[in-house]
Amino acid sequence: MTSMGTSALSKAVPTEVRLHNKTMIMRLLYPDHEMTRADVSRATGLTRMVVSDIVSELIDNKLITEVGFSKPNGPGKRGILLKFDADSRCVVALDLSQPYVFRGAVMNLLGHVLPREESVISVTDTTPLEVVGKLCRQLIERTDTEVLGIAVSVPGIVDAHGVVRESVNLGWKDTDLRSYLTDLTGLPVHVDNDSNAQTMAELRFGAAEPNMMLVQIARGVGGGIILNGDLYVGTSRAAGEIGHVVVDPEGVECVCGKRGCLETVIAIPRLVAQIDADPIHRDEILRQAGDTLGRALSMPLGALDIPLVMVQGDSSVVNRSFLDSAERALNKAIATDLRTHVRVRRSALGQDAALLGACAMVLTEQLDYMVQLDMAK
């Protein structure tokens, strides 16, 4: 090996070890654990000198903070408690999936909502990018701390570069949303499908299980899939795109041009319009919609052997009648003596699920970057 190769290797190994150690410490404290340096040393197996050095750096970078003293435990000296500093930076999160309105929020690093903004949108063939840009600028103007990143939850298919390949509901095709917002703000921008975002929210903030599917019902219908604890996006990043799967070939025409797509049957505006026109039969309308969803999910869930479906949507529509009907139809279609009964439950994250998912995008990408800040020094 040449002297240059030996030198490069000797530099790389300590750097990777240090990064690993920093990440271990961050994971111990995130999201809201309080530990002393001695606690961290015992939990990680690192020496107190190494822990003290890394903690000092994380404090300088404002990723963790000192929050007082530990409780007395014998005659020894009390240790100083460390905690992840969730308010040192913020995230700007946008949700473009809801009917009639774009929603946004400034959030801290635990996903707590600070200021909110909304932008009412008209139902047109194409939604102008400037509407998104204006909402983003309004939120940035209301921040009091450094913005860690911007994340946008979008209905449709989004590639790994933040380009919206197709969003039927927004009228976008090959729209480079990430570049547009990056140029506008100069900040890191993350863009993903709304259902994937909400699935990530369940992983970080909710009640996700290692194998499950999340179905989001809003202006459109989409799904996110977790397999063995990881978000599965598929070859074309279109996994879970169930809204434009045909469930009734003789049904009404969809905005995508086909007839009888799933979202023409169970999207929130569609169901609300049906209920408004026939309020006496509200429960029957919702039971039929739930039945349609259950039958539509039977093939992918039967193939993947997923035991849990979580549904996110307006509680006035995604209620017990809807969920119970979906569960009955799904299990009737796939039941065998050996198969586990599939549960269909409502997500507990509420109306902020897509915003939380956007926040989770930034945390997943940017926190890993932040613990590497000293690597470039």
Side-chain angles (χ1 to χ4, degrees), residues 58-105:
L58 292 173
I59 289 175
D60 288 344
N61 285 336
K62 298 182 179 180
L63 283 169
I64 63 176
T65 185
E66 296 177 331
V67 291
F69 291 93
S70 62
K71 294 180 180 179
N73 185 19
K77 184 179 178 181
R78 292 190 297 165
I80 298 174
L81 290 168
L82 307 168
K83 186 176 182 179
F84 176 72
D85 191 352
D87 295 314
S88 64
R89 294 166 177 81
C90 64
V91 172
V92 171
L94 303 178
D95 173 16
L96 311 186
S97 67
Q98 302 304 311
Y100 318 121
V101 65
F102 287 167
R103 302 169 62 238

Coordinates of all heavy atoms in Angstrom, one line a residue, residues 58-105:
L58 N -21.7 18.7 20.2 CA -23.1 18.7 19.9 C -23.8 19.9 20.6 O -24.7 20.5 20.0 CB -23.8 17.4 20.4 CG -23.4 16.2 19.6 CD1 -24.0 14.9 20.3 CD2 -23.9 16.2 18.2
I59 N -23.3 20.3 21.7 CA -23.8 21.5 22.4 C -23.4 22.8 21.6 O -24.2 23.7 21.4 CB -23.2 21.6 23.8 CG1 -23.9 20.6 24.7 CG2 -23.5 23.0 24.4 CD1 -23.3 20.5 26.1
D60 N -22.2 22.8 21.1 CA -21.7 23.9 20.2 C -22.6 24.1 19.0 O -22.9 25.1 18.5 CB -20.3 23.8 19.8 CG -19.3 24.0 21.0 OD1 -19.7 24.6 22.0 OD2 -18.1 23.6 20.9
N61 N -23.0 22.9 18.5 CA -23.9 22.9 17.3 C -25.3 23.1 17.6 O -26.2 23.0 16.7 CB -23.7 21.6 16.5 CG -22.4 21.6 15.7 OD1 -21.8 22.6 15.4 ND2 -21.9 20.4 15.4
K62 N -25.6 23.2 18.9 CA -27.0 23.5 19.4 C -27.9 22.3 19.1 O -29.2 22.5 18.9 CB -27.6 24.8 18.8 CG -26.8 26.0 19.2 CD -27.4 27.3 18.6 CE -26.6 28.5 19.0 NZ -27.2 29.7 18.4
L63 N -27.4 21.1 19.0 CA -28.2 19.9 18.9 C -28.7 19.4 20.2 O -29.7 18.8 20.3 CB -27.5 18.8 18.1 CG -27.4 19.1 16.6 CD1 -26.4 18.1 16.0 CD2 -28.7 18.9 15.9
I64 N -27.9 19.6 21.2 CA -28.3 19.2 22.6 C -28.0 20.3 23.5 O -27.2 21.2 23.2 CB -27.6 17.9 23.1 CG1 -26.1 18.1 23.2 CG2 -28.0 16.7 22.2 CD1 -25.4 16.8 23.8
T65 N -28.6 20.3 24.7 CA -28.5 21.4 25.7 C -28.4 20.8 27.1 O -28.9 19.7 27.3 CB -29.6 22.4 25.5 OG1 -29.4 23.5 26.4 CG2 -31.0 21.8 25.9
E66 N -27.9 21.5 28.0 CA -27.9 21.1 29.4 C -29.1 21.7 30.1 O -29.4 22.8 29.9 CB -26.6 21.6 30.1 CG -25.3 21.0 29.5 CD -24.0 21.5 30.1 OE1 -24.0 22.7 30.5 OE2 -23.0 20.8 30.1
V67 N -29.8 20.8 30.9 CA -31.1 21.2 31.4 C -31.2 21.0 32.9 O -32.3 20.9 33.5 CB -32.2 20.4 30.8 CG1 -32.4 20.8 29.3 CG2 -32.0 18.9 30.9
G68 N -30.1 21.1 33.7 CA -30.2 21.0 35.1 C -29.4 19.8 35.6 O -28.6 19.2 34.9
F69 N -29.7 19.4 36.9 CA -28.9 18.4 37.5 C -29.8 17.1 37.7 O -31.0 17.2 37.9 CB -28.4 18.8 38.9 CG -27.3 19.9 38.7 CD1 -27.6 21.2 38.8 CD2 -26.0 19.5 38.6 CE1 -26.6 22.2 38.7 CE2 -24.9 20.4 38.4 CZ -25.2 21.8 38.5
S70 N -29.1 16.0 37.7 CA -29.8 14.7 38.0 C -30.2 14.6 39.5 O -29.7 15.4 40.3 CB -28.9 13.5 37.6 OG -27.8 13.6 38.4
K71 N -31.1 13.7 39.8 CA -31.5 13.5 41.2 C -30.4 12.9 42.0 O -29.6 12.1 41.4 CB -32.8 12.6 41.3 CG -34.0 13.3 40.6 CD -35.2 12.3 40.8 CE -36.5 12.9 40.1 NZ -37.6 12.0 40.2
P72 N -30.3 13.3 43.3 CA -29.2 12.7 44.1 C -29.3 11.1 44.1 O -30.4 10.6 44.2 CB -29.5 13.3 45.5 CG -30.3 14.5 45.3 CD -31.1 14.2 44.0
N73 N -28.2 10.5 44.0 CA -28.1 9.0 44.1 C -26.9 8.6 45.0 O -25.9 8.3 44.5 CB -28.0 8.4 42.7 CG -28.1 6.9 42.7 OD1 -28.6 6.3 43.7 ND2 -27.7 6.3 41.6
G74 N -27.1 8.8 46.3 CA -26.0 8.5 47.2 C -25.2 9.8 47.4 O -25.6 10.9 47.0
P75 N -24.0 9.7 48.0 CA -23.2 10.9 48.4 C -22.5 11.5 47.2 O -21.9 12.6 47.4 CB -22.3 10.3 49.4 CG -22.1 8.8 49.0 CD -23.4 8.4 48.5
G76 N -22.4 10.9 46.1 CA -21.7 11.4 45.0 C -22.2 12.7 44.4 O -23.3 13.1 44.7
K77 N -21.4 13.3 43.5 CA -21.8 14.6 42.9 C -22.9 14.3 41.8 O -22.8 13.3 41.1 CB -20.5 15.2 42.2 CG -20.8 16.5 41.6 CD -19.5 17.0 41.0 CE -19.7 18.3 40.3 NZ -18.4 18.8 39.7
R78 N -23.9 15.2 41.8 CA -24.9 15.1 40.8 C -24.4 15.5 39.4 O -23.6 16.4 39.3 CB -26.1 16.0 41.2 CG -26.9 15.5 42.4 CD -28.2 16.3 42.6 NE -27.9 17.7 42.7 CZ -28.9 18.6 42.6 NH1 -30.1 18.3 42.3 NH2 -28.6 19.9 42.8
G79 N -24.9 14.7 38.4 CA -24.5 15.0 37.0 C -25.4 16.0 36.4 O -26.5 16.2 36.8
I80 N -24.8 16.7 35.3 CA -25.6 17.6 34.5 C -26.4 16.8 33.5 O -25.8 16.0 32.8 CB -24.7 18.6 33.9 CG1 -24.0 19.5 34.9 CG2 -25.5 19.6 33.0 CD1 -23.0 20.4 34.4
L81 N -27.7 17.1 33.4 CA -28.6 16.4 32.4 C -28.5 17.0 31.1 O -28.4 18.2 30.9 CB -30.0 16.4 32.9 CG -30.4 15.6 34.1 CD1 -31.7 15.9 34.7 CD2 -30.3 14.1 33.8
L82 N -28.4 16.1 30.1 CA -28.4 16.5 28.7 C -29.7 16.2 28.0 O -30.4 15.2 28.3 CB -27.3 15.8 27.9 CG -25.9 15.9 28.5 CD1 -25.0 14.8 27.8 CD2 -25.3 17.3 28.4
K83 N -30.1 17.0 27.0 CA -31.4 16.8 26.3 C -31.3 17.3 24.9 O -30.6 18.3 24.6 CB -32.6 17.5 27.1 CG -33.9 17.2 26.5 CD -35.0 17.9 27.3 CE -36.4 17.6 26.8 NZ -37.5 18.2 27.6
F84 N -31.9 16.6 24.0 CA -32.0 17.1 22.6 C -32.7 18.4 22.6 O -33.8 18.6 23.2 CB -32.8 16.0 21.8 CG -33.0 16.5 20.3 CD1 -32.0 16.5 19.4 CD2 -34.3 16.8 19.9 CE1 -32.2 16.8 18.1 CE2 -34.5 17.2 18.6 CZ -33.5 17.2 17.7
D85 N -32.2 19.4 21.8 CA -32.7 20.7 21.8 C -33.7 20.8 20.6 O -33.3 21.2 19.5 CB -31.6 21.8 21.7 CG -32.1 23.2 21.9 OD1 -33.3 23.4 22.0 OD2 -31.3 24.1 22.0
A86 N -34.9 20.5 20.8 CA -35.9 20.5 19.7 C -36.3 21.9 19.2 O -36.8 22.0 18.1 CB -37.2 19.8 20.2
D87 N -35.9 22.9 20.0 CA -36.3 24.3 19.5 C -35.1 25.1 19.0 O -35.3 26.3 18.7 CB -36.9 25.0 20.7 CG -38.2 24.4 21.2 OD1 -39.1 24.1 20.3 OD2 -38.4 24.2 22.4
S88 N -34.0 24.4 18.8 CA -32.8 25.1 18.3 C -33.0 25.5 16.8 O -32.4 26.4 16.3 CB -31.6 24.3 18.5 OG -31.6 23.1 17.7
R89 N -33.8 24.7 16.1 CA -34.1 24.9 14.7 C -35.5 24.5 14.4 O -36.2 24.0 15.3 CB -33.1 24.0 13.8 CG -31.7 24.4 13.9 CD -30.8 23.3 13.3 NE -29.4 23.6 13.3 CZ -28.6 23.5 14.4 NH1 -29.1 23.0 15.5 NH2 -27.3 23.8 14.3
C90 N -36.0 24.8 13.2 CA -37.4 24.5 12.9 C -37.5 24.0 11.5 O -36.5 24.0 10.7 CB -38.3 25.8 13.0 SG -37.8 27.1 11.8
V91 N -38.6 23.5 11.1 CA -38.9 22.9 9.8 C -40.1 23.6 9.2 O -41.1 23.9 10.0 CB -39.2 21.4 9.9 CG1 -39.7 20.8 8.6 CG2 -38.0 20.6 10.4
V92 N -40.1 23.9 8.0 CA -41.2 24.5 7.3 C -41.9 23.3 6.5 O -41.2 22.7 5.6 CB -40.8 25.6 6.3 CG1 -42.0 26.0 5.4 CG2 -40.3 26.8 7.1
A93 N -43.1 23.0 6.9 CA -43.8 21.8 6.3 C -45.0 22.3 5.5 O -45.8 23.2 6.0 CB -44.2 20.9 7.4
L94 N -45.2 21.7 4.3 CA -46.4 22.1 3.5 C -47.2 20.8 3.1 O -46.6 19.8 2.8 CB -45.9 22.7 2.2 CG -45.1 24.0 2.3 CD1 -44.7 24.5 0.9 CD2 -45.8 25.1 3.0
D95 N -48.5 20.9 3.2 CA -49.4 19.8 2.8 C -50.2 20.3 1.6 O -51.1 21.2 1.8 CB -50.2 19.4 4.0 CG -51.3 18.4 3.6 OD1 -51.2 17.8 2.6 OD2 -52.2 18.2 4.5
L96 N -50.0 19.7 0.4 CA -50.8 20.1 -0.8 C -51.9 19.1 -1.1 O -52.4 19.1 -2.2 CB -49.8 20.2 -1.9 CG -48.6 21.1 -1.7 CD1 -47.8 21.2 -3.1 CD2 -48.9 22.4 -1.1
S97 N -52.2 18.2 -0.2 CA -53.1 17.1 -0.5 C -54.6 17.3 -0.2 O -55.4 16.6 -0.6 CB -52.7 15.8 0.3 OG -52.9 16.0 1.7
Q98 N -54.9 18.4 0.6 CA -56.3 18.6 1.1 C -57.2 19.2 0.0 O -56.7 20.0 -0.8 CB -56.3 19.4 2.4 CG -55.4 18.8 3.5 CD -55.9 17.4 3.8 OE1 -57.1 17.1 4.0 NE2 -54.9 16.4 3.9
P99 N -58.5 19.0 0.1 CA -59.4 19.6 -0.8 C -59.5 21.1 -0.6 O -59.6 21.5 0.6 CB -60.7 18.9 -0.6 CG -60.4 17.7 0.2 CD -59.1 18.0 0.9
Y100 N -59.4 21.9 -1.6 CA -59.7 23.4 -1.5 C -58.6 24.2 -0.8 O -58.8 25.4 -0.8 CB -61.1 23.6 -0.9 CG -62.1 22.7 -1.4 CD1 -62.8 21.9 -0.5 CD2 -62.4 22.5 -2.7 CE1 -63.8 21.0 -0.9 CE2 -63.4 21.6 -3.2 CZ -64.1 20.8 -2.2 OH -65.0 19.9 -2.7
V101 N -57.6 23.7 -0.2 CA -56.7 24.5 0.6 C -55.3 23.8 0.7 O -55.2 22.6 0.7 CB -57.3 24.7 2.1 CG1 -57.3 23.3 2.8 CG2 -56.4 25.7 2.8
F102 N -54.3 24.7 0.6 CA -52.9 24.2 0.9 C -52.7 24.7 2.3 O -52.9 25.8 2.7 CB -51.9 24.9 -0.1 CG -51.9 24.3 -1.5 CD1 -51.2 25.0 -2.5 CD2 -52.6 23.2 -1.8 CE1 -51.2 24.6 -3.8 CE2 -52.5 22.7 -3.1 CZ -51.9 23.4 -4.1
R103 N -52.1 23.7 3.1 CA -51.8 24.0 4.5 C -50.3 24.0 4.8 O -49.6 23.2 4.1 CB -52.5 23.0 5.4 CG -54.0 22.9 5.2 CD -54.6 21.7 5.9 NE -54.4 21.8 7.3 CZ -53.8 20.8 8.0 NH1 -53.4 19.8 7.4 NH2 -53.7 20.9 9.3
G104 N -49.9 24.8 5.7 CA -48.5 24.8 6.0 C -48.3 25.2 7.5 O -49.2 25.7 8.1
A105 N -47.1 24.8 8.0 CA -46.8 25.1 9.4 C -45.3 25.2 9.6 O -44.5 24.6 8.9 CB -47.4 24.0 10.3

